[in-house]
Amino acid sequence: MAAEIVNPRSDSGATTGQEGGGEPLDSFDLDPAFALHRGGKMAVQATVPVRDKDDLSLAYTPGVAKVCTAIAEQPELVNDYTWKSSVVAVVTDGTAVLGLGDIGPEASLPVMEGKAILFKQFGGVDAVPIALACTDVDEIVETVVRLAPSFGGVNLEDISAPRCFEIERRLQEALDIPIFHDDQHGTAVVTLAALRNAARLSGRALGELRAVISGAGAAGVAIAKMLIEAGIGDVAVADRKGVVSADRGDLTDVKRELAGFTNKAGLSGSLEEALAGADVFIGVSGGTVPEEAVASMAEGAFVFAMANPNPEVHPDVAHKYAAVVATGRSDFPNQINNVLAFPGIFAGALQVRATRITEGMKLAAAEALASVVGDDLSADYVIPSPFDERVAPAVTAAVAAAARAEGVARR
C-alpha cells in the first residue's frame, strides 16, 4: 500500500456546482488544509506488476490457489506470503479525537489517514485507517479480534478513557500481535526521552526528580507508569479535583490503581499546591496553570506543557522560571510529538514478529530516542525533530533487540 499524499482531481479543475444556492462545492478548497485533504491522503498501490495474462495468472487465479493452500496447511506462512506481517490497523471509535473530543467515526477519518501516512513516511510501515461505528467496549474488542487475521499489529487511536484501558488490555489478552494505544504509550515514550535528556543537561538523575502530571486520562496514566518504571524519584498526578491520592473517595478503578503506585510524598489538594518545589511539570490536560504556581517550582525546573493548541503554561511564561521547556507544538523548540515513537516501535515489533509490545520495549524506545540527541544536547534541544532521519532506525533497532531479549520475538 502506498501511503502518500494524493489529489485525485482531474486536470480540468475542481467542481464549481452549487447546492441550494449556497457557496460553491469547492469553496473549502480555498483553505489549503481542505485542498490537501480532498479525495483523502492515501492510495493503494500494487507491489507486483500485472502486465499480461501470465502476471494475472500468478497474482490471482490459478497461481494464488497454491499459496492459499500452503497457508491453510501451515498458517504461519501467512507472514511470508501476504502483507500481514508488515501492516498495522489504525483503529478508532472517534470518541477522543485530538482536541476535538467525541466527533464520531466519519469525522475521525482525516486523523486516522494522517496517522497511516505518518506510519509509512517515518517508519516504512503500511497502515490502514479503520473507524468503527460503535463505542461499546465488548463490541470494539470483538470487532478488532475478528479483523486481526489481516494485520500484524493494531494501533488504537483516539479512544476515550477509561474505556481505552480495558480495550487495550482485553485485546492484548485475546491476540498474539502487538496492540498499542498510542495516546497512552507513544506520548509516554517521547516524554520520558525528553525528560532523560533534560535531566542529563542539568547533571541530575531521574531518581532525584519529583514530577507533577496534570491530567489523569490515557496519556497521564501511561506517563506516570513509565516514569515509575524508569526510576523517577516521585510523581503525583492531578485531575480536575486535585491530586490523585488514596484518601479520595471519588476515584475510578484506574485512578485508584494510579494512587497505589504514585505520590510517595502523600500530597493532597490542588495541582498548584503540588507544584510547590516540584522539579518537573508535565501537562496533558489542557487548562491553564497560574504563573505563580510555575514560579513556586524548584530552581532549574522542567516544564513540559503539551496541550494543543494552547499549552497549559505558555512558553514565554515557562522560560521565566524553567531551565527546559517543551510543548506539543511544532512552532516551539522541544516538541513532544508521538510521531517520534510509534513508527519505529511498530517497525521494530513487526520486524521480529513480536507477540506483544512490552514495557521493556517501550523503555528501550525512549532510551534510543534520547540517544539521538547525543552531544548536541541543549536547553532548546532535548528531543530530536520528527524529520531527523536517525530517529526511526534507532528506535526500530532498539525495540527489536528488546523484543528478542524479553522473549516475545518470533524471529
Side-chain angles (χ1 to χ4, degrees), residues 317-331:
V317 173
H319 277 297
K320 295 181 184 179
Y321 311 101
V324 176
V325 177
T327 72
R329 289 173 46 154
S330 60
D331 53 346

Side-chain angles (χ1 to χ4, degrees), residues 13 82 99 115 117 150 161 167 182 230 252 276 280-281 292 307 310 336 338 353 357 388 397 405 409:
T82 73
K115 197 79 172 190
I117 67 173
S150 295
I167 290 168
D182 186 50
T252 63
V280 184
F281 168 76
E292 55 268 28
N310 300 311
I336 307 296
N338 289 12
R353 296 179 187 167
I357 294 173
D388 189 323

Side-chain angles (χ1 to χ4, degrees), residues 165 168-169 172 178-181 184-189 192 196 218-219 221-231 257 261 345 349 354-368 398-403 405-408:
F165 302 111
E168 182 186 47
R169 177 185 59 78
Q172 287 172 337
I179 310 295
F180 188 80
H181 185 210
Q184 292 183 61
H185 311 301
T187 305
V189 165
L192 174 58
R196 281 192 180 280
V221 171
I223 292 169
K225 288 181 177 179
M226 182 158 283
L227 294 185
I228 294 293
E229 287 279 346
E257 178 188 0
F261 65 83
I345 289 173
T355 57
R356 56 192 293 260
I357 294 173
T358 65
E359 291 302 312
M361 291 161 73
K362 289 180 280 188
L363 290 170
E367 185 66 36
V399 168
E406 298 206 336
V408 297

